[in-house]
């Protein structure tokens, strides 16, 4: 059996824009900046694109801006070392024969102009983020672009205005892109991005970004951009994990869930996912479709009982990849049937969305079985039985399988392990495994104690704390934010209801050992908050255990839509 590339095609922007590949979040931001500036489209360079090197950057700073960057021309080696170590994303860093510039660090909206597209690939993750913002909060891309592009001429974002105060790192990036050779033109293409399947998760991400932007006058620019980077990575990961269950549920039901057609998720409410059919916070959710909670271990002992529970919780999410891969193959093959001559004769229209493709399963046309019998015959010609593996022969001989199911299972045998490998690597990368911004930790080596487990890194916890202490309010139709202290119990409940992150699960079957681990886990959370300067327990009194804002926000700043 040798399926062709077209047979096992996986990428489908109607399902998810992101290709199943490892992504680097700095490169995702660089490509997102380009979409933010040009409203979701990719511009065309006026003078033709040439590969950018570190030496080119040094010469640009010295040759064009020596009058304002005094001392740079006298110390080019120092300038080069500074760019190399702090301001540029280098591929194959540490291997002199292979090193090359991917892009500047994402400190300014125009930084993407100096990227090398071949080395700064994000496998369409930026397109997915832009789609989430565009459909969930249409004014957010312009709001974000306005913040990220400050310091450049307002008419074209091409030239530094010489007035906006910027930190030294951002100023250097601005000077690098302040170059007439980097001018661009808008593309004439009118392509649009498909909407996200899970609009609720997109709304939650947009609400978080709005809240973080409330700190624009209180937090140093580099710190706020690092918060944005962490938030985008977190929400890409949460979106994918929810999509694994959502698409599988749609394929099982042969239609989009009624709630998904009119998404009930409202991030401004106390329980945003209480009515989401694919959230464990919804007590009425279908147990087969619900996304499990994230049981988070805040400790460092991999042999602790809480670490074991976090590993089991993580495994529940990762195991859903198999059903997701099968569901993607199913949707793709239904679309392929619809556009085939047989499908055009028997079904008569082309699906523009996943829900339309699934209607073929709900009301199968007469030619569906014939089409997939022929496709299976192409994969498994008569007379070749002896040359195939036993499991392939067994599938072919199962008479109770519908032709489309048999064909999909044959594809799963051929390609499931391939796509699962890359999906695992993708989740690891967007959830920033083993970093201080991680939601995921894994030890080295093999064995159960080194399997993945949910764990919140210190910088991710800091970002979540910054979001949690903001209180929405507004005048008229405009939502604004101000910071205030919150109780530690309120923070724990907020994380559970908003993101599904659970430190003390509410399990009816929990044992004494479980409860002991939960209590110790809560103490570990408090200790982590204390170490990053958020939590001060003045006494054992309940109302004295509060999380206090690190950067007070008192002025009215535009916020999220609820």
């Amino acid at each position: 059996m040798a399926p062709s590339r077209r047979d096992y095609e996986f990428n489908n922007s109607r399902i998810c824009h992101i290709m199943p590949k490892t992504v680097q979040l700095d490169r995702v931001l660089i490509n997102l900046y380009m979409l933010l500036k040009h409203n979701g489209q990719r511009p065309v360079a006026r003078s033709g694109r040439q590969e950018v090197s570190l030496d080119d950057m040094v010469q640009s700073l010295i040759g064009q801006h020596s009058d304002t960057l005094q001392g740079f021309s006298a110390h080019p080696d120092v300038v080069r070392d500074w760019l190399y170590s702090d301001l540029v994303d280098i591929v194959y860093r540490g291997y002199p024969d292979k090193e090359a510039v991917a892009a500047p660090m994402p400190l300014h909206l125009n930084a993407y102009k100096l990227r090398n597209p071949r080395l700064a690939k994000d496998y369409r993750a930026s397109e997915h983020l832009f789609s989430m913002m565009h459909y969930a909060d249409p004014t957010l891309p312009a709001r974000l672009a306005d913040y990220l592009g400050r310091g450049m001429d307002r008419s074209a974002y091409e030239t530094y205005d010489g007035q906006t105060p910027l930190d030294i790192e951002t100023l250097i990036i601005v000077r690098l892109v302040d170059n007439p050779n980097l001018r661009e033109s808008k593309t004439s293409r009118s392509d649009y991005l498909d909407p996200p399947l899970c609009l609720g998760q997109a709304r939650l991400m947009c609400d978080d970004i709005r809240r973080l932007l409330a700190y624009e006058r209180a937090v140093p620019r580099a710190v706020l951009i690092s918060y944005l980077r962490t938030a985008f990575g977190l929400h890409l990961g949460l979106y994918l994990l929810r999509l694994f269950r959502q698409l599988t549920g749609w394929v099982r039901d042969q239609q989009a869930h009624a709630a998904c057609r009119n998404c009930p998720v409202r991030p401004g409410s106390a329980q945003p996912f209480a009515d989401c059919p694919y959230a464990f916070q919804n007590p009425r959710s279908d147990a087969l479709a619900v996304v499990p909670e994230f049981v988070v271990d805040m400790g460092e002992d991999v042999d602790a009982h809480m670490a074991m529970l976090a590993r089991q919780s993580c495994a529940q999410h990762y195991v859903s990849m198999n059903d997701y891969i099968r569901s993607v193959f199913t949707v793709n093959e239904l679309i392929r049937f619809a556009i085939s001559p047989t499908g055009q004769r028997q079904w008569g229209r082309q699906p523009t969305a996943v829900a339309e493709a699934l209607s073929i399963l709900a009301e199968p046309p007469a030619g569906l079985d014939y089409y997939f019998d022929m496709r299976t015959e192409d994969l498994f010609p008569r007379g070749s039985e002896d040359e195939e593996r036993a499991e392939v022969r067994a599938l072919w001989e199962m008479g109770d399988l519908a032709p489309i199911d048999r064909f999909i299972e044959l594809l799963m045998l051929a390609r499931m392990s391939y796509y699962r490998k890359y999906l695992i690597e993708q989740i690891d990368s967007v959830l920033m495994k083993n970093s201080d911004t991680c939601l995921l930790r894994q030890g080295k080596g093999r064995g159960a104690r080194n399997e993945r487990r949910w764990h919140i890194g210190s910088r991710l916890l800091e970002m979540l704390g910054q979001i949690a202490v903001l209180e929405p309010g507004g005048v008229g139709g405009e939502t604004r934010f101000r910071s205030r202290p919150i109780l530690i119990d309120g923070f724990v409940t907020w994380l559970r209801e908003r993101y599904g992150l659970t430190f003390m699960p509410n399990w009816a079957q929990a044992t004494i050992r479980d409860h002991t681990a939960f209590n110790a886990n809560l103490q570990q959370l408090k200790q982590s908050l204390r170490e990053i300067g958020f939590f001060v327990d003045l006494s054992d009194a309940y109302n004295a255990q509060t999380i206090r804002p690190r950067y007070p926000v008192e002025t009215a700043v535009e916020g999220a839509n609820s």
Side-chain angles (χ1 to χ4, degrees):
M1 184 182 71
S4 67
R5 181 179 295 274
R6 190 179 179 192
D7 288 326
Y8 55 76
E9 183 178 2
F10 192 84
N11 302 325
N12 185 342
S13 62
R14 297 183 182 96
I15 298 173
C16 184
H17 291 86
I18 317 173
M19 300 166 65
K21 296 284 188 179
T22 301
V23 297
Q24 300 293 332
L25 289 176
D26 285 334
R27 296 168 198 173
V28 173
L29 285 189
I30 285 291
N31 286 278
L32 177 62
Y33 289 0
M34 174 175 55
L35 300 178
L36 290 173
K37 183 177 176 181
H38 295 279
N39 194 28
Q41 295 184 332
R42 297 180 180 274
V44 177
R46 294 181 184 176
S47 57
R49 179 172 293 280
Q50 298 179 353
E51 186 163 338
V52 179
S53 70
L54 203 57
D55 291 333
D56 294 335
M57 292 182 175
V58 174
Q59 290 302 317
S60 174
L61 288 175
I62 294 175
Q64 298 185 46
H65 304 291
S66 58
D67 54 334
T68 54
L69 301 176
Q70 298 180 9
F72 275 46
S73 57
H75 304 282
D77 291 340
V78 175
V79 174
R80 190 182 194 281
D81 290 344
W82 182 31
L83 292 176
Y84 177 85
S85 61
D86 294 337
L87 299 179
V88 177
D89 177 11
I90 302 289
V91 297
Y92 298 112
R93 188 182 290 270
Y95 297 88
D97 295 338
K98 294 183 177 181
E99 283 185 340
V101 172
M105 300 305 292
L107 296 176
H108 191 273
L109 184 69
N110 276 357
Y112 75 88
K113 291 185 175 183
L114 284 172
R115 79 195 189 285
N116 286 316
R118 178 178 60 85
L119 301 174
K121 293 180 180 179
D122 69 342
Y123 301 101
R124 303 191 68 188
S126 59
E127 293 183 18
H128 191 79
L129 287 174
F130 187 88
S131 170
M132 291 171 73
M133 288 188 282
H134 175 73
Y135 288 98
D137 187 351
T139 62
L140 179 58
R143 170 75 175 88
L144 189 56
D146 177 74
Y147 168 72
L148 294 167
R150 288 179 185 173
M152 304 299 279
D153 181 81
R154 291 288 176 175
S155 62
Y157 288 94
E158 298 290 352
T159 305
Y160 177 47
D161 61 17
Q163 299 177 352
T164 303
L166 296 172
D167 59 89
I168 185 63
E169 290 84 3
T170 304
L171 181 60
I172 294 302
I173 299 297
V174 167
R175 290 299 190 186
L176 282 170
V177 298
D178 185 357
N179 188 330
N181 294 326
L182 298 176
R183 299 291 174 86
E184 297 171 330
S185 300
K186 292 184 178 180
T187 179
S188 59
R189 296 177 61 182
S190 58
D191 296 347
Y192 70 95
L193 297 175
D194 290 294
L197 284 191
C198 184
L199 189 60
Q201 197 66 46
R203 287 174 180 163
L204 182 64
M205 182 195 77
C206 292
D207 188 72
D208 279 357
I209 299 303
R210 290 275 189 182
R211 288 171 181 255
L212 290 173
L213 288 174
Y215 289 102
E216 61 183 331
R217 295 184 181 88
V219 174
R221 182 186 179 90
V223 174
L224 185 50
I225 289 177
S226 73
Y227 286 164
L228 293 172
R229 175 187 182 275
T230 302
F232 283 131
L234 171 67
H235 283 284
L236 279 177
L238 294 179
Y239 183 95
L240 288 170
L241 293 172
R242 187 174 301 279
L243 183 64
F244 292 167
R245 300 280 179 157
Q246 180 183 354
L247 184 65
T248 300
W250 285 17
V251 171
R252 183 199 63 185
D253 298 337
Q254 300 180 351
Q255 62 179 346
H257 197 285
C260 296
R261 299 192 191 103
N262 185 21
C263 179
V265 175
R266 295 293 182 271
S269 64
Q271 297 178 309
F273 288 96
D275 296 316
C276 175
Y278 298 100
F280 83 91
Q281 298 96 321
N282 180 357
R284 301 175 298 280
S285 292
D286 182 346
L288 295 177
V290 66
V291 177
E293 61 190 351
F294 297 83
V295 179
V296 179
D297 169 38
M298 292 302 298
E300 300 294 335
D301 183 1
V302 297
D303 294 319
H305 185 60
M306 196 68 211
M308 183 269 290
L309 296 177
R311 286 193 291 268
Q312 291 177 350
S313 172
C314 194
Q316 282 185 290
H317 286 270
Y318 275 70
V319 76
S320 63
M321 288 181 190
N322 293 359
D323 290 334
Y324 171 71
I325 294 168
R326 180 181 289 104
S327 299
V328 171
F329 281 148
T330 300
V331 172
N332 288 347
E333 290 304 326
L334 289 172
I335 294 173
R336 188 173 175 185
F337 163 76
I339 64 178
S340 70
T342 301
Q344 287 292 294
R345 288 194 305 271
Q346 301 291 335
W347 200 58
R349 58 186 185 275
Q350 295 188 14
T352 59
V354 173
E356 289 184 61
L358 292 177
S359 66
I360 300 174
L361 284 181
E363 298 179 4
L368 186 68
D369 288 350
Y370 168 80
Y371 174 82
F372 283 101
D373 275 336
M374 293 299 98
R375 293 285 303 283
T376 304
E377 183 73 25
D378 291 339
L379 288 182
F380 193 89
R382 296 286 182 179
S384 63
E385 292 86 349
D386 294 340
E387 302 174 5
E388 299 293 346
R389 294 177 293 168
E391 55 267 34
V392 175
R393 295 198 302 270
L395 274 173
W396 179 252
E397 294 167 0
M398 292 177 66
D400 56 342
L401 273 183
I404 183 173
D405 293 332
R406 179 182 292 110
F407 184 78
I408 296 301
E409 290 303 324
L410 287 170
L411 292 183
M412 288 290 288
L413 279 176
R415 302 299 292 180
M416 190 270 289
S417 59
Y418 174 86
Y419 287 119
R420 178 177 171 81
K421 172 182 179 293
Y422 282 104
L423 282 171
I424 288 174
E425 292 179 0
Q426 185 169 83
I427 295 295
D428 287 353
S429 62
V430 297
L431 292 181
M432 300 158 279
K433 185 178 76 172
N434 290 343
S435 70
D436 53 4
T437 54
C438 71
L439 183 60
L440 192 66
R441 182 170 286 187
Q442 182 181 23
K444 296 181 179 180
R446 297 184 178 181
R449 68 194 300 272
N450 286 323
E451 293 175 354
R452 293 169 180 80
R453 74 184 194 277
W454 302 124
H455 176 91
I456 298 180
S458 59
R459 290 177 61 191
L460 174 58
L461 185 62
E462 177 184 335
M463 185 210 73
L464 293 172
Q466 302 287 24
I467 294 172
V469 298
L470 291 178
E471 179 181 42
V475 178
E478 188 175 3
T479 304
R480 301 174 184 272
F481 292 108
R482 69 179 181 87
S483 58
R484 87 291 190 204
I486 58 173
L487 294 172
I488 184 69
D489 270 12
F491 180 61
V492 170
T493 301
W494 180 84
L495 288 174
R496 181 185 187 276
E497 295 298 336
R498 190 174 178 89
Y499 305 101
L501 305 176
T502 304
F503 306 94
M504 303 179 68
N506 184 20
W507 292 346
Q509 75 279 14
T511 64
I512 293 177
R513 187 182 183 192
D514 292 336
H515 284 297
T516 301
F518 298 161
N519 290 331
N521 200 38
L522 182 59
Q523 295 305 314
Q524 291 281 359
L525 172 63
K526 292 179 180 179
Q527 180 61 30
S528 297
L529 287 167
R530 187 179 292 111
E531 289 172 355
I532 60 177
F534 273 102
F535 178 62
V536 178
D537 45 348
L538 301 178
S539 71
D540 293 334
Y542 168 82
N543 59 3
Q545 298 189 349
T546 59
I547 296 175
R548 301 184 181 279
R550 176 180 291 180
Y551 302 101
V553 176
E554 300 295 340
T555 57
V557 179
E558 183 184 354
N561 299 319
S562 59

